[in-house]
Amino acid sequence: MKSAVFWPTVDGRSPPLIGTSIASSVNYATFAERKVVPTNGEAKDVEGADVKKLKYPRSIPFIISNEFCERFNYYGMRTILVLYLTRKLDYDDDTATVLYHSFTTLVYFMCVIGAIISDSWLGKFKTILYLSIVYVCGSTLIAIGAIPTLDLDARAMTVVGLLLIAIGSGGIKPCVAAFGGEQFKMPEQAKYLALFFSMFYFAVNSGSFVSTMITPILREDVKCFDSDDCFSLAFGVPGILMITSIIIFLLGKPLYKITAPAGNMFMKVSKCIWTAIRTRSKEKNVNPRDHWLDYSEKRWGQQLVDETRILLNVLRLYIPLPVFWALFDQQGSRWTFQATRMDGDLGFWTIKPDQMQVINPLLILIFIPLYEVAFYPLLSLIGIRRPLQKLTLGGIFAGVAFVISTIVEIQLEGTYAVMPQGGESQLRIFNGMACEYNLRTDVPNHENFVLKSMEMFEEKYIAVNGNKSFTSTFTSNTPGCADFTDTFELEEYKQISYLVNNRDGQPNLLRYEDNTDKSSKGYPMFRVLGNTAQDRPFAFKDLDASPVFDRHSNTTYFHDIVESYPSRYEISVDGKTLMEYSMRLGGVYAFIISESGNDIKAEVIVVTEPNSINMLWLVPQYVVMTLGEVMYSITGLEFSFTQAPESMKSVLQGCWQLTVAVGNLIVVIVAEAKIFEAQKWEFVLFACLMFADMAIFAVLAYYYKPIPIKSYDEDDANTTLPVEDRKEDRGLENPTFTKGE
């Protein structure tokens, strides 16, 4: 069995630098008995004589290019997914988080299914081709559903599209790198194989980096279908790249080395374990064995039993691993929502919330060589040398990253709107008159106060159980303005606002239920409050748009709150320009338009302050998380790879992918449970969970004892095969235990 088959890792990323160390060590060990030493495309025997010189496989550029395009599609789509779910499909943050992580969970569950399909029935080439077509169908559905003018059921199309993408992406994930590895002749091309995995990893992260930069720009900076953004294009471009990946993959077919399916070891291991459990329940009293797996020896042979025991010994260490991925994958959900509540303005450039995810692939490309050159040597000075120590430290880094995100969230809470709780109500009074009033009320702590013209009174904490009325007398401090008396009707849990106006010829109050909370989409929101003799046409002209155009036009005042695009606007009424104003991300505004005689003027009141904390404060948590990822993901996989028997490495890859799926399932459960009202406490939960998880892992690692891997020659292997596969019974050679090749 080729060692290349075992390389695919989490997110399809194959470890780059460890590729050299593992490929070299494994191939040298595997082929030592053949007295062949691989050297840069050549093979020499132990005396140094040239055996054969082979060229680098010409099929590899097609596989590398295919992977770049596929990863561009996957990460490009995933980068903008949560914003599409909330901004266009109107899901709330919790539901969008559940959908996002359910999708990711399914992707990694499908990795095991894809491996079984490939190894048992279709082979890697057909599996990649057929499931890539399914992948394209899913991407196309989402892109078409995002076109608003078609008036399609975008929610249904998105869910079905995500399902197809999960089947396609997850299904081909364990096959592509393995298929690339099969193009090399071993052991003569062991060094070329290591180079391939480095190039493969670079293609994965390059595709991720480029798409994470580009798709947010296509989403926000391009305007289409009379919208402020263009999600259909942002989904469509990655879809086109996926079609391109299929074309590239097919073009290389004449050059590929295509092998037939050889049987799936995952299924054999599962059957071996099931046989042991079933047989033990029947024979444990009459036929005791040293180990419970020995009960399947008669059916499956000693070699498979021994290697399954080694596999399970390693898999015990996998038990705590899902928690890391529960934290890691929140970069695309909770951390992206966190970015929507922050200010991305750098002066020369504005960072988009989903673009923050680009930090991860960029830092990976930087950190991997730094770890080898600097970080690992420094860690060895303080006694951290063994793989399990490094893996534990990587998990601790993830917990620290969530501690940092908690600190950031606490700072952000100071910029959030205050919402009324139980036993509370809020009161706001907007004065649309050219009159200043002195108010006498029975509102607690506000028995007497002044309300100036075109300004707002606000009280966020008024004790109210159910409904409560407060009387108020308005006494004018401005000559020519009439006095009046009215009542404030407040309700528990609600924000109630009033506009002082004289549209009916006499001063009075117009009541409405307000909402000052920041938009979950991160956009600014505004309301126009008009005190004019009659409705007049008004317009908000976007001055930063090219070309300049009226983004909002209406003739009705006092309408519902409107979500807008962050920009600089010219506000005009009846064709007359009244003011210019810049609405920023997260702000909630009230524009008061007042008419007095022939004079019309406008004033803006900031009801909720716009986002003020810069997105760059998210960088530390991304840096620490990526530091943890490199140590956790690559080191953990390297350890597992070297500990597992040759025939069990593919099974281990499937189990590794399952830890990612289970990790995302944890996020789904927590988000769906809605345990906490404040996001900071959810971050605290995950941080504490990660630290506790690493404590458990440290205990498992301390007691971990590697089981020596036995060597079986051909005769030994034959006598320990399943009965139906032994040579003397059927004259067949079981490919599971065949060496070399």
Side-chain angles (χ1 to χ4, degrees), residues 4-9 12-14 60 63 67 124 128 172-184 193 196-197 200:
V5 174
F6 312 121
W7 273 102
T9 70
R13 301 173 181 174
S14 303
I60 294 303
I63 297 173
E67 182 64 14
K124 294 179 181 63
I128 295 170
I172 68 175
K173 192 181 292 292
C175 301
V176 181
F179 184 68
E182 289 181 348
Q183 308 307 306
F184 296 85
L193 178 64
F196 162 72
F197 286 118
F200 187 87

Side-chain angles (χ1 to χ4, degrees), residues 692-733:
D693 187 66
M694 284 299 97
I696 295 171
F697 180 82
V699 173
L700 292 174
Y702 180 79
Y703 288 103
Y704 172 75
K705 301 276 188 224
I707 299 175
I709 299 176
K710 296 180 182 179
S711 176
Y712 296 88
D713 58 30
E714 186 173 333
D715 292 335
D716 292 335
N718 184 54
T719 59
T720 57
L721 291 178
V723 173
E724 67 271 21
D725 288 335
R726 293 179 185 173
K727 287 184 178 179
E728 63 264 31
D729 292 327
R730 298 179 60 189
L732 297 177
E733 184 176 324

Side-chain angles (χ1 to χ4, degrees), residues 631-674:
M631 295 188 72
Y632 195 92
S633 177
I634 295 179
T635 305
L637 190 67
E638 179 179 6
F639 171 80
S640 303
F641 188 97
T642 56
Q643 295 293 300
E646 188 76 11
S647 64
M648 295 293 168
K649 298 184 192 296
S650 58
V651 180
L652 203 61
Q653 291 302 312
C655 294
W656 180 269
Q657 307 288 2
L658 284 177
T659 66
V660 185
V662 175
N664 280 270
L665 191 59
I666 292 172
V667 182
V668 171
I669 293 171
V670 172
E672 191 65 24
K674 299 181 180 179

Side-chain angles (χ1 to χ4, degrees), residues 391-455:
L391 199 149
T392 304
L393 183 59
I396 291 172
F397 275 148
V400 172
F402 265 67
V403 171
I404 298 172
S405 68
T406 302
I407 295 172
V408 172
E409 185 65 26
I410 291 172
Q411 298 303 311
L412 283 174
E413 280 189 345
T415 68
Y416 297 164
V418 176
M419 306 303 291
Q421 305 301 313
E424 292 179 352
S425 183
Q426 293 182 359
L427 172 64
R428 291 176 182 82
I429 308 171
F430 297 89
N431 187 0
M433 304 276 286
C435 309
E436 179 180 288
Y437 285 100
N438 185 68
L439 273 72
R440 301 181 67 85
T441 74
D442 54 357
V443 176
N445 302 317
H446 296 285
E447 289 79 8
N448 197 343
F449 61 92
V450 174
L451 180 63
K452 294 184 178 180
S453 174
M454 308 293 279
E455 291 190 3

Side-chain angles (χ1 to χ4, degrees), residues 98-366:
V98 168
L99 287 171
Y100 177 90
H101 288 283
S102 297
F103 162 71
T104 308
T105 298
L106 185 58
V107 168
Y108 288 98
F109 272 122
M110 281 303 304
C111 291
V112 176
I113 305 301
I116 293 174
I117 292 172
S118 170
D119 291 348
S120 301
W121 296 297
L122 295 180
K124 294 179 181 63
F125 176 81
K126 289 183 178 179
T127 300
I128 295 170
L129 178 60
Y130 296 162
L131 292 184
S132 291
I133 295 172
V134 174
Y135 199 155
V136 167
C137 292
S139 298
T140 303
L141 272 178
I142 294 178
I144 293 175
I147 301 175
T149 56
L150 297 181
D151 196 26
L152 301 171
D153 188 345
R155 283 192 171 192
M157 294 182 72
T158 299
V159 171
V160 174
L162 290 176
L163 177 63
L164 294 177
I165 291 175
I167 294 171
S169 177
I172 68 175
K173 192 181 292 292
C175 301
V176 181
F179 184 68
E182 289 181 348
Q183 308 307 306
F184 296 85
K185 182 174 178 59
M186 304 304 296
E188 293 88 345
Q189 294 184 303
K191 294 293 184 181
Y192 284 164
L193 178 64
L195 175 61
F196 162 72
F197 286 118
S198 294
M199 290 167 38
F200 187 87
Y201 186 85
F202 184 83
V204 167
N205 284 280
S206 297
S208 172
F209 175 76
V210 175
S211 64
T212 307
M213 283 293 296
I214 291 177
T215 50
I217 294 174
L218 297 176
R219 169 189 65 77
E220 185 164 307
D221 293 348
V222 178
K223 319 301 177 189
C224 62
F225 304 110
D226 297 325
S227 297
D228 295 336
D229 46 36
C230 197
F231 275 97
S232 55
L233 180 65
F235 284 124
V237 169
I240 293 172
L241 264 291
M242 191 59 216
I243 296 173
T244 305
S245 76
I246 296 177
I247 295 172
I248 293 173
F249 187 67
L250 286 173
L251 288 175
K253 185 180 179 182
L255 304 174
Y256 296 147
K257 183 191 298 181
I258 300 175
T259 58
N264 189 272
M265 181 56 71
F266 189 91
M267 298 296 292
K268 287 183 172 65
V269 170
S270 301
K271 291 177 180 178
C272 178
I273 293 173
W274 172 246
T275 300
I277 294 172
R278 187 179 58 185
T279 306
R280 182 178 182 272
S281 65
K282 299 176 182 177
E283 301 181 4
K284 64 179 179 180
N285 294 325
V286 297
N287 185 20
R289 300 293 185 97
D290 292 337
H291 192 277
W292 64 273
L293 274 173
D294 291 336
Y295 286 96
S296 64
E297 176 187 346
K298 183 178 179 180
R299 172 70 179 83
W300 292 101
Q302 189 60 48
Q303 180 173 346
L304 184 60
V305 169
D306 289 344
E307 294 185 345
T308 301
R309 184 184 298 129
I310 296 171
L311 175 74
L312 295 180
N313 189 47
V314 176
L315 288 183
R316 278 196 313 152
L317 297 173
Y318 274 36
I319 295 172
L321 298 188
V323 177
F324 174 86
W325 303 114
L327 276 67
F328 177 80
D329 277 332
Q330 289 189 60
Q331 294 177 89
S333 57
R334 293 303 198 195
W335 284 11
T336 298
F337 289 136
Q338 198 174 34
T340 64
R341 301 188 288 271
M342 303 178 77
D343 183 12
D345 187 11
L346 301 181
F348 60 92
W349 183 49
T350 299
I351 308 173
K352 297 165 180 59
D354 36 357
Q355 279 184 324
M356 290 301 298
Q357 298 174 58
V358 79
I359 297 174
N360 178 255
L362 177 62
L363 289 177
I364 285 175
L365 296 176
I366 296 172

Side-chain angles (χ1 to χ4, degrees), residues 583-652:
M583 287 192 285
R584 295 167 51 199
L585 288 170
V588 179
Y589 306 92
F591 289 91
I592 301 177
I593 298 175
S594 178
E595 181 178 17
S596 179
N598 295 324
D599 183 32
I600 298 179
K601 62 179 181 178
E603 189 64 55
V604 61
I605 295 175
V606 180
V607 181
T608 301
E609 292 292 332
N611 299 345
S612 56
I613 297 178
N614 199 278
M615 280 186 205
L616 292 182
W617 285 105
L618 292 176
V619 171
Q621 64 198 56
Y622 277 93
V623 171
V624 175
M625 179 61 80
T626 307
L627 283 170
E629 179 198 2
V630 175
M631 295 188 72
Y632 195 92
S633 177
I634 295 179
T635 305
L637 190 67
E638 179 179 6
F639 171 80
S640 303
F641 188 97
T642 56
Q643 295 293 300
E646 188 76 11
S647 64
M648 295 293 168
K649 298 184 192 296
S650 58
V651 180
L652 203 61

Side-chain angles (χ1 to χ4, degrees), residues 42 223 320 387 519 582 610 617 628 719 738:
E42 299 182 13
K223 319 301 177 189
S519 166
S582 293
W617 285 105
T719 59
T738 301

